[in-house]
Amino acid sequence: MLASSTVENYLKAIHMGANGLRPGQRLLPMGQLAASLGVTPGTATTMAKTLADAGLAEYEPYAGVALTSQGERLAGLVLRRHRLVELFLVRVMGFGWDEVHDEAEHLEHVVSDRLIERIDEMLGHPEVDPHGDPIPNADGAIVTQPQDTLLTCPVGQPVVVTRVLDQNRAFLQFVETNQLKPGETIRVEGRDESADSVVVSGSSDRRLALGTRAASKLQVRAAG
Amino acid sequence: MLASSTVENYLKAIHMGANGLRPGQRLLPMGQLAASLGVTPGTATTMAKTLADAGLAEYEPYAGVALTSQGERLAGLVLRRHRLVELFLVRVMGFGWDEVHDEAEHLEHVVSDRLIERIDEMLGHPEVDPHGDPIPNADGAIVTQPQDTLLTCPVGQPVVVTRVLDQNRAFLQFVETNQLKPGETIRVEGRDESADSVVVSGSSDRRLALGTRAASKLQVRAAG
DNA sequence: CATATAGTTTTGAGCGGTCAAAAACAAGAA
DNA sequence: TTCTTGTTTTTGACCGCTCAAAACTATATG
Ligand SMILES: [Mn+2]
Ligand SMILES: [Mn+2]
Ligand SMILES: [Mn+2]
Ligand SMILES: [Mn+2]
């Protein structure tokens, strides 16, 4: 039952990397995995084999790596700890939503089951963390229905921000100062393909232009 | 600036081991250090040299190891994190005083300065942890005046338990069920050298005989 | 003083995780 | 089909931490 901090980080990276793959693509290329972990491709290859030997991943030479259901479960548990810790730090310890990621990155590997269930309870069994990321259940399972982003949602209709897909501090601060945090109601006023931009308005009627890169990081659902 | 979890554990072990040395003895023998860490003597020797090279310890072959003031400071910071975490788990998270040690043993290495200061603040800058162990300040300095134990305190006088010098769960539970936790007022009714025992009584007038081994683990101060 | 004993250091090795650089490969371009 | 390019794998090496077992003190005892 292999599970060092390093292994946990690889599992998380494979899980998250696989969610950024073009549809149809199942295996995460080693180069991508290596880049996301700040590690050499050769190192990632070695670890992919180790994970495969442990039954946590499926590794196909020159193609890439994917988690087995067992690996997926473990990754889910790490994510659960990470996200519950983030929410705990915000709600109980008074941290800002832009300063909890790094702390959680360390705590996720050492917090015991006992403590994490205590935190879960204290927070009232929350479903999402401060960034709107879903919190896996105690079995590591993640329930996640596909969502619109500011790029795909209907124009002119009010929508509620549900999730921010980028942990970068500067971006999170930008989102906060422009009242685009999860829970805020906004509206897409229009999109301009050639300008590569999306114009949104909030409650204060102030308009704001976002590049499509940024717009695609904000998930929303119909308001109401 | 060397400081892995392993190094932190060695620093703590040397610090604490040195506090159990017969007076006059300054250097902690490798065998003792190794035993307290559950490691081979050879391994401890290697690490002692590493610490010496880093300026954190002073190592004398065949004699033992002692912390430099820099090593003492780092050890103090680890102890500060450990003890603040323990108190936090008891006071905020509702854990029992007998179940926080192991959790703190892991958290002490990953909790950031920011988080630990937040915890310290939230707890009102406490001076001792749930076991009565003093909490070093933010510079790693420990203020600790010598204290009596049940073996050395005056007989017949009421005293207040201030500290329990053993983290063993069974012992902590024994202490709790017999109302000997820090804060409790008790009295030594008598000592019997040849029976190797100390008899104490609490508020409920019930008498309890402790072996000297156990009695020496309970620190007290004059009540009032 | 010689010797036995307990404690300590050294040596050689292994494991987990990593890198740099060389070799091998897949897939498209020519 | 052969070349070219970008990616991946392999190799050899290193660092941190550890152990087992052999070599070595220091000290006490006779
Ligand atoms: Mn995060
Ligand atoms: Mn998050
Ligand atoms: Mn403890
Ligand atoms: Mn304690």
Side-chain angles (χ1 to χ4, degrees), chain A residues 31-206:
Chain A
Q32 241 158 288
L33 175 58
S36 81
L37 286 165
V39 111
T40 283
T43 303
T45 298
T46 304
M47 185 49 115
K49 288 179 183 168
T50 303
L51 295 177
D53 288 349
L56 300 175
E58 194 176 329
Y59 166 65
E60 195 176 321
Y62 294 101
V65 67
L67 296 180
T68 61
S69 60
Q70 201 199 150
E72 206 65 68
R73 185 176 151 278
L74 282 192
L77 291 177
V78 180
L79 244 22
R80 173 178 171 81
R81 295 195 293 266
H82 182 104
R83 291 171 181 171
L84 279 171
V85 165
E86 282 189 345
L87 190 61
F88 179 83
L89 290 175
V90 168
R91 291 245 280 257
V92 177
M93 302 306 293
F95 279 64
W97 83 322
D98 60 316
E99 45 185 15
V100 295
H101 184 80
D102 294 355
E103 191 88 40
E105 208 56 56
H106 292 110
L107 289 171
E108 65 186 2
H109 306 296
V110 301
V111 149
S112 72
D113 282 0
R114 224 177 122 53
L115 178 53
I116 208 65
E117 294 318 319
R118 245 272 153 5
I119 287 175
D120 182 45
E121 202 177 310
M122 180 174 283
L123 296 174
H125 309 290
E127 304 205 329
V128 297
D129 81 358
H131 315 102
D133 301 316
I135 297 174
N137 67 25
D139 294 326
I142 314 178
V143 273
T144 168
Q145 59 276 62
Q147 292 211 261
D148 272 328
T149 69
L150 288 184
L151 277 191
T152 61
C153 71
V155 174
Q157 311 273 330
V159 293
V160 177
V161 178
T162 54
R163 186 176 182 183
V164 179
L165 298 168
D166 185 340
Q167 308 293 319
N168 178 274
R169 280 192 74 160
F171 184 69
L172 291 178
Q173 281 161 5
F174 167 83
V175 167
E176 181 158 34
T177 62
N178 288 96
Q179 289 167 289
L180 296 171
K181 285 218 307 187
E184 301 280 358
T185 300
I186 60 178
R187 192 170 39 184
V188 172
E189 298 295 341
R191 300 197 180 94
D192 186 331
E193 195 82 4
S194 23
D196 187 47
S197 77
V198 175
V199 174
V200 303
S201 66
S203 49
S204 58
D205 255 342
R206 209 159 34 76

Side-chain angles (χ1 to χ4, degrees), chain B residues 82 86 101 131 167:
Chain B
H82 182 104
E86 282 189 345
H101 185 80
H131 315 102
Q167 309 294 317

